[in-house]
Amino acid sequence: MNERETLKVNESGHLEIGGADCVDLAKQFGTPLYVFDEAYIRRMMRVYRDTIEKEYGGNGLVLYASKAFACEAMYRIADEEGIGADVVSGGELYTALKAGFPASKIYMHGNNKLDYELEEAISAGVRCIVADAVTEIDKIERIASEKGVVQDILLRINPGVEAHTHAYIQTAKTDSKFGFSVADGTAEKAAEYALSKAHVRLRGFHCHIGSQIFEKQSFVLAAEKCMDFAAKMKGKTGFVTEELNLGGGFGIWYTDEDRKIPPEGYAEYLEALLCAVAEKAEEKGLKRPYILVEPGRSIVGEAGITLYTVGAVKEIPGVRKYVAVDGGMFDNPRYALYQAKYTPVLAARANEEGTETVSVAGKCCESGDLVCADVRLPAAKPGDLLAVLSTGAYNYSMAMNYNRNLIPPCVLVREGKAAYIVRPQSYADLTRNDAVPEYLRKKDAKSGKE
Ligand SMILES: *Cc1c(COP(=O)(O)O)cnc(C)c1O
């Protein structure tokens, strides 16, 4: 697959993604529509995979953090690229297995895995479960002993690193629902507890310091703290950390406030991490652990865009102009959740300069239902095609049917040709699971029958 730019503006002034003209895509598939460039996704997976190969002798595995965008086709791509996946629910595990993804390359996460999810994971033979509570260690022990197996686990620890990102998506502060704190000794106690179990085999530790982080130093610091913790555990209990999972969280470009990193540029982040681990291992006399990283957003975020059609345009004189589209928080709830920022482009007039500041509004019955707040656009008219960039991660995966809007389909573009990877929903899908108790059923007035 060639390495063309994911996005470009063609001779007609139309935005193209992966060689497909957005105007044609909208004609063929309608809007709203999620579009993904396959080449970008594969390129990102290869950058991470090859960096572990080159810089760390291949002693590790890249796990695609599939919560960023999960569907069968994504697991197929990850599998073809030879990387693993992490899943955070029974539903993601089910999807991965249905796609034929090898359980031997799946790590299972979650701060409150349900009994049946643990059952499913252990039955499927997932490579490793990342335990995040003492009660969970008990549950894994019970299920594994019932099945007569020994389950490999990692412990999620909280190294207490403050990452410079939005507070809502920062997870390794001391006050966090994720992980066992290193600082207050609970991580050590949990590790000792896990080591006392017969059907649980502790392999090492996991940390994930947050998301959309650009500061290399935050990752390096977290990696060093994990290695310090490994050294402490070895000193106290003789436990040898075989695996260290350093999570994901690498930042991507959404707007020009963010750094724009070409795919190959992400190698630097991983190199810095691997280097920090190797140096610490040397310094502390530890074995170099098998390394896992779990990028999600950086693999698929910039690979995707969402296409909308402009509908109502409303100007409140002296206040604001709203450009409403046929989507909104039901396909992208990230503004509503944490005022996430995005860059919109009028896809058929992509060379035109922005001439006014507007907010792109969704069609849901919520004032907070914006897709982009205060962005520059050329004067948009009803019927214009609007592309919102960098929507590949945490958009479809967070989509919902609020107001009984239909979740848009997803198409994958390969060499300029698009195919569905998630088909459109229908109204019938909306009522598929509705149930009407007998006493509420509408009776035929004459016969008294339904
Ligand atoms: C969300 C998450 C990731 C992926 O984070 P990105 O910012 O998408 O790279 C990786 N590991 C864990 C444990 C996560 O919760």
Side-chain angles (χ1 to χ4, degrees), residues 65 67 86 109 156 206 208 211 248-250 294-297 394:
K67 73 178 194 276
D86 81 43
H109 278 290
R156 179 160 184 170
H206 166 271
H208 171 72
S211 218
F250 311 118
E294 305 173 318
R297 186 190 312 270
Y394 305 109

Side-chain angles (χ1 to χ4, degrees), residues 207-284:
C207 85
H208 171 72
I209 58 168
S211 218
Q212 186 58 9
I213 298 164
F214 286 101
E215 284 73 24
K216 226 179 271 172
Q217 210 42 43
S218 311
F219 294 109
V220 166
L221 190 61
E224 289 174 349
K225 289 197 167 198
C226 287
M227 289 298 282
D228 287 340
F229 180 67
K232 187 173 168 197
M233 283 300 300
K234 187 176 172 217
K236 283 208 164 177
T237 66
F239 173 71
V240 175
T241 297
E242 298 284 346
E243 285 193 22
L244 187 57
N245 182 331
L246 295 168
F250 311 118
I252 68 164
W253 178 90
Y254 286 103
T255 71
D256 287 336
E257 290 173 16
D258 303 311
R259 216 173 295 166
K260 176 83 185 148
I261 305 172
E264 288 64 30
Y266 286 89
E268 274 182 39
Y269 282 91
L270 200 41
E271 282 162 17
L273 277 178
L274 296 171
C275 195
V277 169
E279 277 174 17
K280 271 282 178 188
E282 178 87 357
E283 178 195 323
K284 303 269 179 185

